[in-house]
Amino acid sequence: MQRNDIRNIAIIAHVDHGKTTLVDALLRQSKIFRDNQQVAERVMDSNDLERERGITILAKNTAVNYRGIKINILDTPGHADFGGEVERVMNMVDGVLLLVDAVDGPMPQTRFVLRKALQAGHRAIVVVNKIDRPNARPNHVVNETFDLFVDLGASDEQAEFATIFTNALRGVAGRSPLKIHDSLEPLFDAIVDQMPPPEVELDRPAQFLVTTTTYDDYKGKILVGRLRRGQLQRGQAVAHIAADGTVTPSRVNQLFVFSGLSRTEVDLATAGDIVAIAGIAEAQIGDTIADAVHPEALPPIAVEEPTVRMTFSVNTSPFAGREGTHVTSRKLRDRLYQELQRDVALRVTDTAAPDAFAVSGRGELHLTILIETMRREGYEFQVSRPEVIFREQDGVKVEPIEQVEIEVADQHQGTVIELLGQRRGVMRDMRVRDDGLVHMIFHVPTRGLLGFRQTFLTATRGEGVLNTLFIGYEQLSGEISTRANGSLIASESGLATAYGLNGAQERGQLFIAPGTDVYEGMIIGQHSRDRDLEVNVCRRKHLTNIRSSTAEEGIRLEAPRVLSLDDAIEYISDDELVEVTPKSYRLRKRTLTLDERKREQKRREIALAGGANAPR
């Protein structure tokens, strides 16, 4: 039977197309908030990192009521690196709102999220947002979106989608770009009329798939998911079915449904609704909570495999333990494995070294967000350069390939084509947009994109737009050089002086300012040439009867290049690390002393020579 009093939908889109802003407007017009209540902008982005970066990282759910019908809404991330969040919530909904920018049209992540929705058999309502933009072309965007549906193999029913035109910032919508209502009522009507109600089996044993987990200081672990069939009651005895098939007797201590931004405790939940359960601490994402007498497991959540890997290890620099609270390998390991309970797209494995762990994710940003989160929690550790995860298909070594879509001004297109050509990129399409920007599509190995973003922003003077999407695996493309410059390395430990930095800045670009505490082997800048250079930035000007201590006041230093965490991870090479602490992050050589680095280089040369002269 169908539950006509409920609609379960997800809002999916490319990054920055207005999903969270639209959810804000839906909540306001549903009278979730009091008239005099102060509500933050993008209220669903409750995470500090989400607010700082202006992107959605975690999928979240809310619920509103319209015409007596409860609408469960899931706000999903728009960045490709967090695609695992989108994949896992598709089993909770019956339809999607596909947001498309009225100027940009379908973008790479639009293709990814729509493909997942169509594969799940969901119907979509296309919402053309930002129709107030000066260069808006809503009818053209609708045609492009229809072509995308066809390219992705949508069924006839799925391709006959309803279209709503909105300005989420103002909270208005309409069925035509020329006739916009003063509210989102047309969108609410479309959700109720076009989205299918959930199909439920009320008379069968309960079945619930754990899709998301959260933690409450008073209630413990809370499991969130959709109740597939049957009913659940507070205090009911249930069976917890793990991914390996193990069945454990459990009990539902508390039961919640969603209303607005909060959870409401209830005594009974019925199939078709999205509910939260407290009291089953051992359950993980993908596990099933079923009837105690007739335990039947649901298919586990399947997501695409990671493409990039980094090594997280205990901090071994001379400054280790100064700033962090959690510094041991046990603390680091526990925290990484704890993250697996929340992030289904992440992988963590132990390595041969007891204090190092291999962490795999969807991309650099996916792992960088984890690093920043741990840093703010008081963890101190060091990370290696991201590396691509290779596979073997039919005896052939293959690597991940990404589709790169770039929009730049006409004067920068030659530079961008040259940069991606050096990184084994192959151009697939190029056209000039109505606003004069050049839109280019490349297929580039993921290896070639490591560290590319900063180079791209510099080459386009910060005016280029770059989007990527993983598309599959292809045969290895050959050697790729991703960094042309060496590093400036501190040769002594101590405080950096203006006199010492003045000599170093003639050799390259500095990353630190006078007064910075440095140690031997720490990277203090980028060399202007393709090799590393050791410099003493701690030396002072000797005093004589002629020179005075005020001589340093005449030294003029250029402003150092301040690296963000993302920039630092993009910058380092294979023999370098980023030291991450709650207060700072530093770049360093994997081997700190110059003599030891020379010995390692000599051993590598001997090994290469031995391999070349080995008998065939």
Side-chain angles (χ1 to χ4, degrees), residues 101-135:
D101 190 289
V103 175
D104 298 335
M107 299 291 281
Q109 182 68 358
T110 312
R111 172 179 288 270
F112 171 79
V113 294
L114 180 58
R115 184 174 71 239
K116 294 300 177 185
L118 295 178
Q119 287 174 352
H122 298 327
R123 293 196 62 182
I125 295 174
V126 174
V127 180
V128 181
N129 194 28
K130 303 186 182 181
I131 58 170
D132 58 320
R133 291 183 63 180
N135 298 317

Side-chain angles (χ1 to χ4, degrees), residues 29 73 96 103 155 185 213 272 285 331 381 422 435 450 457 485 519 529 531 533 583 588:
Q29 295 188 21
I73 303 172
V96 297
V103 175
S155 66
E185 189 173 339
T213 62
I285 292 175
K331 288 278 190 180
F381 53 99
Q422 294 170 357
D435 55 5
L450 297 178
L457 290 174
N485 298 84
Y519 52 81
R529 300 190 179 182
R531 58 183 177 82
L533 179 68
K583 296 182 180 179
R588 52 161 287 187

Side-chain angles (χ1 to χ4, degrees), residues 497-502 536-544 546-555:
T497 64
Y499 182 71
L501 291 172
N502 185 46
N536 184 3
V537 295
C538 301
R539 61 179 180 152
R540 298 179 177 274
K541 193 174 184 67
H542 295 294
L543 300 181
T544 67
I546 298 173
R547 299 181 180 89
S548 68
S549 60
T550 60
E552 284 197 13
E553 294 178 4
I555 295 174

Side-chain angles (χ1 to χ4, degrees), residues 317-319 383 385 483 485-492 496 501 504 509-513 516-527 531-535 537 560-561 563 567-579 585-592 597:
S317 84
F319 294 170
V383 296
R385 179 176 186 261
R483 201 176 93 180
N485 298 84
S487 298
L488 296 176
I489 306 166
S491 61
E492 301 285 342
L501 291 172
Q509 186 178 32
L510 297 177
F511 295 159
I512 65 170
T516 304
D517 208 358
V518 301
Y519 52 81
E520 182 183 3
M522 179 173 159
I523 297 171
I524 56 93
Q526 183 178 31
H527 194 198
R531 58 183 177 82
D532 293 339
L533 179 68
E534 285 72 26
V535 291
V537 295
R561 175 183 165 193
L563 298 178
D567 296 336
I569 291 173
E570 281 192 2
Y571 174 82
I572 59 174
S573 61
D574 292 334
D575 64 337
E576 296 168 352
L577 301 169
V578 177
E579 176 189 351
Y585 31 84
R586 309 177 185 90
L587 280 67
R588 52 161 287 187
K589 282 294 184 182
R590 193 181 293 268
T591 303
L592 294 178
R597 288 199 297 274

